[in-house]
Amino acid sequence: MTMLNEETMASVVDRSIEIYRALGSAEAIMVPAVITAAEVVDRETGLSFAIQQIGWTLEAIGGPNLVAEVIYQVEDRLDDVNAAVFLNRRWDGYPRP
């Protein structure tokens, strides 16, 4: 299992937070998962696709523990349980329509 160094982890957490906020924070939970580039038609679907790709990349390089660590750090930094719910819904392996 690959782990990220502190600087890289902070960058991934920052990007995940930016996307979560750009999608409207708490409202982001309701944004449908976009799992293919063909589904990207506007800013919202592009951001949803980006967060999906980040999750799959984390899973590929570090497995579920790395995914969980990023989710934990995002939630901790924002002190927002909705951020964890949003990321869990994207990164738990079950994209939702």
Side-chain angles (χ1 to χ4, degrees), residues 53-85:
Q53 297 305 306
I54 291 170
W56 284 340
T57 301
L58 292 171
E59 175 78 27
I61 63 172
N65 290 337
L66 180 57
V67 173
E69 180 61 26
V70 171
I71 291 171
Y72 171 76
Q73 286 194 29
V74 167
E75 180 181 13
D76 190 50
R77 187 170 317 163
L78 292 177
D79 194 27
D80 181 354
V81 72
N82 288 325
V85 171

Side-chain angles (χ1 to χ4, degrees), residues 25-69:
S25 297
E27 294 80 25
I29 294 170
M30 303 308 293
V31 174
V34 175
I35 58 174
T36 66
E39 296 174 89
V40 175
V41 295
D42 57 16
R43 182 174 185 270
E44 182 177 89
T45 56
L47 291 169
S48 185
F49 180 68
I51 202 69
Q52 193 70 44
Q53 297 305 306
I54 291 170
W56 284 340
T57 301
L58 292 171
E59 175 78 27
I61 63 172
N65 290 337
L66 180 57
V67 173
E69 180 61 26

